[in-house]
Every structure is written in C-alpha cells, then in structure tokens.
Amino acid sequence: MGSELTDTANGSYVSIRRDPRLNALLPVLLLSTYFTASFILRLLRGGDLASDEAQQVAFSHALQLGYGNQPPLYNWLFYCFSRLFGVSVATLAFVKNATLLATCIFLGLAARKIVTERETAWISVLGFLSLPAVFLLSQRDLTHSVGAFAVVAIFLYVLVLMAERPSSGSYALLGAVAGMGFLAKYNFAIIPFATAVALLLEPGLRRLVLNWRLAVTIAVGLIVAGPHVYWATTHLDAATGNTLMEMRAAARSAIPGQLNAAWQLVASIIKCSALTLAIFAAAYRGHIRTIFSASSEWTRVIGRMLVISMILVFVIMLSLDATLMRPKWISIFFVAFPLYLALKVDAAGIHVPEAITRFTMVVGTVIFISLGVVFAGSFH
C-alpha cells in the first residue's frame, strides 16, 4: 500500500494514493495506544510521587490566586478533577495525559486550517510527540509545562481562526487564551509579543495587528491574568522562588557571560529540536532541500515567531545575568516547531503519504521505548 510520485511542471510532487485510510489510521492508533499505555504504566508505577506531582497533591485542597514559584493554571485544573475523582495517582495521570492529548488535538486542528493535505497536518501532531520534553520529561515529572503546551496549541488554533474570520469575538478569545497562557507558564508572555511582531512583518497579515480589535485582545488578556498578577506582585519572593537563582547558578567560567548565555541557549535549542528534525528528515528523505527552500505566508509567520521568541529569551538571559538555560524552560516555544515543519511541506507542494507512515513508525518506536525506560527506571 503506497503511492506513486509524479513530478509536475512547476517542480512540485503529486502523490497518487492507493489507500489513504491507512495513512490516517496509523497516527490515530499511535495516539490512542500511547496515551492509554502512559496512563496504565503510571498506575503500575504506584504512589511514589515525583516533585511536581507532590506539589499538585499538596496544593489540591483549596483554590488560590497563587501557590508559589509557578503560575496556578495547572493547579486549578488538577483541583477541579480532584474534586470529581479524588486526589490519587489515577487523577494525576489522567489530567496529564488528557492535557497532552488536547495539545495534539488543537495542533492538528490548527494545521488542518492552513495546510492542504490531511496527511500533512499529522506532522504537527507526530512532531509534538517527538519532542523530548513531551515523550521523556513529561512522563517523568513535568506538570506546569504540560499545561502550557496545551495553551500554546490552543493559542495557535485561535490565531488561525482569527486570521480566517477577524471579529471582536475571535480577538477576545485570543486574549483569553493569552491570559491563560500566562497563568500556565510565565514565559508564555513572550509568545503573544513575538506573534504580533511576526504578523507585522507579513504584509498579508499585518492588518490583524493594525486593528482596533487588538485592544479587545489586550483587555481580555489583562482581565484573565490580572488577579494572579496582583497576587504575584504582592508575593514577589514566593512568585519568583528559586527560578532566578537557578538561572544564575552555573559555575564560574573563563568564558564571558554573554557568550556563555548564548551557548547555553543554542545548546538548549538543539536539544529541543534535533530529534524531531532528524525524524522529519528521515521521513521526507530526498525532498528536504525542496521543503526548506519553500515558503508561504504561514511558514514565515510561525518561523519568525520561533526566532523572535528565542531572541527575546536571550535578551532576558542577558538582563538577568543568567548563566544557565535548561531545555525544559524553553520547551513551550517548540510546540509550534512541528506545525512549522508541516507548513513547509505544504508550501513545497510535496504529498508523500508514505512519509507520514514512516514518521508514525519512527516516532512510535522512540516514544514507546522511552515510556518503557521511564517505567523500568521508576523501580530503581
């Protein structure tokens, strides 16, 4: 079951698919099997809680505007589910896996809005699963970042909706999601700013920023995030916690601080994206040069969002004299990276259903091996 490629006059590739249902079924099976297995294996690991899980349990007894050095959205989410199902390992596992699945769904929905081929949209979902912060770190201990992943995916979906049908309602919804993003992870605040700059640099989408409705977005965002911002400013020591100290915690080095910060950031970017890029290159072998030379309105917007976000992170590192950067701290920005890859394939006009099958098989192998390693390591 495969396809035959034909070269069109403009150099793009057209695929004659023999059984497109199989190409759509494999990723669905992977998603359902993986998240079911993740849930079951977490139950089998028992009640030894990792630090983030223990924090969720400790803070699950009351709703508060703030709890410590992390914003409260994921705590609120767990609180709601714990009221329904009780405070347990099962509830912890369900909330985390359901949140990751929601991220996959909204990334897929965003991709389907702006790519031509249904198969191509799967790159955004499969690529997300291949991010180390997702298949490895999330299965170990992440909670707040998991919540932020979902909000980034929702933000991207609402952004596409707003571009398709600009209205006061869509602008308000984008503001609400942006406010939720700040409540999920403080560094999410970079994303709306990077998005605005990226849109301004794209002539066909500049109108979205140069619109009076943007005031609605800002107002709604401030209303959603405002109560916690007030709490954070009145509990500054608790809100910042050890984060700044940890970012400045690198050992003394003969390397100038700016160079060290740049190296730390570049290394983290590579760790966040290299595996996904390698799997993508293997799946689309023979077409990589064509894919990365292609461009479209949305490839430029998403690509600029990623670049601008990293520049802003670097500026913040310099302003804080930060000498340490962990990949998990910038992982939320790379939720958009698989969507960018999907858009590049779409812009190139390359339709290779076998590539999605290869992508699915390699990603499945990686994430299930990692799941097994995390499960086995929990008993040592």
Side-chain angles (χ1 to χ4, degrees):
M1 294 187 181
S3 66
E4 299 171 2
L5 294 177
T6 60
D7 196 0
T8 63
N10 63 4
S12 63
Y13 293 86
V14 179
S15 172
I16 303 173
R17 290 162 291 171
R18 297 175 184 172
D19 192 352
R21 292 173 297 179
L22 178 61
N23 297 304
L25 183 60
L26 282 177
V28 172
L29 287 175
L30 177 63
L31 285 176
S32 57
T33 304
Y34 176 68
F35 286 117
T36 301
S38 298
F39 178 77
I40 293 172
L41 290 180
R42 181 61 191 93
L43 297 185
L44 294 176
R45 281 161 55 190
D48 291 337
L49 302 180
S51 60
D52 280 8
E53 292 178 328
Q55 184 199 65
Q56 293 301 316
V57 172
F59 293 149
S60 65
H61 304 294
L63 279 174
Q64 300 179 33
L65 288 179
Y67 297 90
N69 66 339
Q70 293 283 2
L73 184 66
Y74 198 88
N75 296 97
W76 294 344
L77 182 64
F78 181 71
Y79 173 86
C80 293
F81 278 92
S82 67
R83 298 282 76 78
L84 293 173
F85 305 111
V87 178
S88 66
V89 171
T91 306
L92 286 166
F94 175 80
V95 172
K96 176 176 288 188
N97 284 286
T99 304
L100 289 172
L101 179 59
T103 308
C104 292
I105 291 171
F106 279 99
L107 276 176
L109 290 173
R112 282 295 296 133
K113 282 285 184 182
I114 48 179
V115 302
T116 305
E117 291 289 314
R118 181 182 298 272
E119 291 87 356
T120 304
W122 277 112
I123 296 172
S124 63
V125 177
L126 297 170
F128 172 71
L129 291 178
S130 72
L131 297 174
V134 177
F135 72 80
L136 182 59
L137 299 182
S138 293
Q139 295 301 331
R140 286 177 174 174
D141 195 25
L142 295 186
T143 53
H144 297 282
S145 293
V146 170
F149 294 159
V151 182
V152 172
I154 297 170
F155 180 87
L156 292 169
Y157 176 62
V158 174
L159 176 65
V160 172
L161 285 182
M162 188 186 77
E164 185 180 58
R165 292 189 298 273
S167 66
S168 298
S170 61
Y171 275 83
L173 184 58
L174 190 70
V177 176
M180 288 172 57
F182 185 79
L183 295 175
K185 206 75 174 171
Y186 292 133
N187 58 352
F188 182 94
I190 291 173
I191 293 177
F193 183 82
T195 302
V197 175
L199 291 172
L200 283 172
L201 292 173
E202 186 60 37
L205 294 173
R206 191 174 295 158
R207 58 186 168 77
L208 296 176
V209 180
L210 304 178
N211 190 313
W212 68 267
R213 294 182 179 89
L214 187 64
V216 177
T217 301
I218 296 171
V220 173
L222 291 174
I223 290 171
V224 171
H228 176 69
V229 172
Y230 172 78
W231 178 91
T233 55
T234 55
H235 298 79
L236 200 56
D237 290 339
T240 55
N242 297 322
T243 303
L244 297 183
M245 291 174 50
E246 194 173 353
M247 290 182 71
R248 296 167 176 159
R252 292 182 178 276
S253 172
I255 302 175
Q258 295 89 340
L259 289 179
N260 188 51
W263 165 247
Q264 288 282 325
L265 181 58
V266 169
S268 293
I269 290 171
I270 293 172
K271 291 175 182 177
C272 285
S273 60
L275 179 60
T276 302
L277 194 56
I279 296 173
F280 176 81
Y284 282 92
R285 57 183 181 271
H287 306 294
I288 296 302
R289 180 174 297 182
T290 304
I291 290 171
F292 281 102
S293 64
S295 179
S296 68
E297 193 172 62
W298 279 105
T299 62
R300 293 189 293 271
V301 169
I302 301 298
R304 287 166 184 160
M305 285 173 60
L306 289 166
V307 172
I308 294 166
S309 294
M310 293 301 97
I311 291 173
L312 291 175
V313 168
F314 183 61
V315 170
I316 292 170
M317 290 180 69
L318 293 182
S319 66
L320 297 175
D321 293 324
T323 53
L324 181 66
M325 174 56 64
R326 300 189 188 281
K328 67 177 182 179
W329 293 343
I330 61 171
S331 60
I332 69 167
F333 302 109
F334 286 85
V335 173
F337 182 57
L339 177 61
Y340 172 74
L341 296 178
L343 289 167
K344 292 292 276 186
V345 172
D346 186 66
I350 292 176
H351 313 304
V352 188
E354 288 84 354
I356 299 302
T357 301
R358 291 195 291 265
F359 209 132
T360 304
M361 299 302 290
V362 176
V363 169
T365 300
V366 170
I367 64 179
F368 277 106
I369 288 176
S370 177
L371 193 61
V373 169
V374 171
F375 178 69
S378 66
F379 296 101
H380 295 290

